Amino acid sequence: MNAVTRSIKIAPSLLAADFAQIKDQIELVESAGADLLHLDSMDGRFVPNLTWGPKIVADLRKLTKLPFDCHLMIVEPEKYVDDFRKAGADYITFHYEATPHAHRLLQYIRSIGAKAGVGINPGTPVSMLQDLIEDIDLLLVMSVNPGFGGQPFIERALTKLHEARKLRDERNPNCEIEVDGGIGLANIERAVSAGADVLVGGSSIFGAADPQATLRDMRARARATRG
Ligand code: DX5
Ligand code: ZN
């Protein structure tokens, strides 16, 4: 297949932001060059934590033009994708482990005009996506167990990024590969070398003394690595 030019994207995760100052926090990362905003919805069932649903996403939609990368850590995601799309989600990523009908759901998400993403937990091999890859716009390799920010990066994710890139290059070159969990200045170059195109950063960005400088540095290192 022909080579496809994919740009590196940095996606700050609002999970680590201060919601009492959310407008300022979004402006901070937007003006520092964020490419996407990563929004983590958790239901207390798929993961042992709770965050927000479509109402909050719709309210945040009024604050920025950045594309919304909605990461659904919820069981039965098929029940909620319409609501997230109406709320302004540009990418809708559900978990492979959260539904028996990943194939149908990927096609449905595309049919409502969003980019269709599927994520895999650290315990799920990339090979489980063999029969889905043509229907995936964003393949999310989790590099921590989902549910919480601030956890250490699981090194095995680098092998999985290699495997994901191989599968993508062979079968669906337009698909982007995202990595989420424990990404920061210490490992962003290795994640990009392994195959990541979209880098999620929560605590590494919002928890930094200078979030804007950190984001710019992450972006510069990632782009220099990709070349
Ligand atoms: C975790 C979420 C992540 C989280 C990452 O389940 O999916 O998006 O915000 O946080 P950090 O970057 O702190 O690991
Ligand atoms: Zn996430």
Side-chain angles (χ1 to χ4, degrees):
M1 290 199 186
N2 294 333
V4 172
T5 311
R6 268 174 305 271
S7 59
I8 290 283
K9 295 178 182 170
I10 305 291
S13 166
L14 289 194
L15 188 64
D18 178 355
F19 267 74
Q21 307 181 52
I22 200 61
K23 190 170 191 287
D24 294 344
Q25 298 265 277
I26 291 174
E27 276 171 16
L28 195 71
V29 292
E30 185 165 9
S31 62
D35 299 285
L36 304 171
L37 269 192
H38 184 86
L39 302 177
D40 292 296
S41 288
M42 305 186 188
D43 66 352
R45 294 181 64 205
F46 183 68
V47 291
N49 198 1
L50 292 160
T51 55
W52 53 77
K55 157 74 168 129
I56 299 294
V57 174
D59 286 355
L60 295 174
R61 189 65 285 174
K62 299 172 198 161
L63 299 178
T64 176
K65 296 230 178 325
L66 284 176
F68 279 0
D69 174 27
C70 288
H71 177 194
L72 309 188
M73 285 160 274
I74 62 179
V75 297
E76 300 182 293
E78 52 279 355
K79 286 188 181 170
Y80 304 100
V81 294
D82 281 319
D83 292 339
F84 279 98
R85 178 64 180 148
K86 283 185 203 134
D90 297 285
Y91 290 73
I92 301 177
T93 300
F94 63 91
H95 268 261
Y96 175 80
E97 304 85 359
T99 174
H101 294 296
H103 187 267
R104 178 187 294 157
L105 187 53
L106 285 165
Q107 293 187 330
Y108 184 70
I109 292 170
R110 279 183 172 174
S111 81
I112 59 174
K115 299 266 192 194
V118 63
I120 51 172
N121 282 340
T124 302
V126 172
S127 60
M128 298 307 282
L129 305 178
Q130 285 280 354
D131 294 325
L132 299 173
I133 187 66
E134 283 86 0
D135 299 290
I136 302 173
D137 297 310
L138 183 78
L139 192 171
L140 166 60
V141 173
M142 287 305 298
S143 43
V144 296
N145 281 294
F148 300 94
Q151 302 179 79
F153 181 77
I154 296 172
E155 292 290 324
R156 170 78 192 166
L158 295 172
T159 306
K160 292 172 77 170
L161 288 168
H162 272 292
E163 293 167 355
R165 178 167 59 184
K166 184 166 185 292
L167 183 64
R168 184 274 307 278
D169 288 351
E170 287 171 4
R171 306 257 305 276
N172 181 6
N174 290 313
C175 173
E176 294 176 288
I177 297 174
E178 179 174 61
V179 64
D180 181 8
I183 294 290
L185 287 171
N187 56 14
I188 195 163
E189 286 144 322
R190 289 187 297 141
V192 171
S193 296
D197 310 301
V198 183
L199 294 303
V200 177
S203 48
S204 62
I205 295 174
F206 288 104
D210 186 341
Q212 290 195 313
T214 304
L215 195 157
R216 288 196 187 103
D217 200 1
M218 284 171 67
R219 220 157 173 265
R221 290 188 197 200
R223 294 197 168 170
T225 306
R226 175 59 57 86

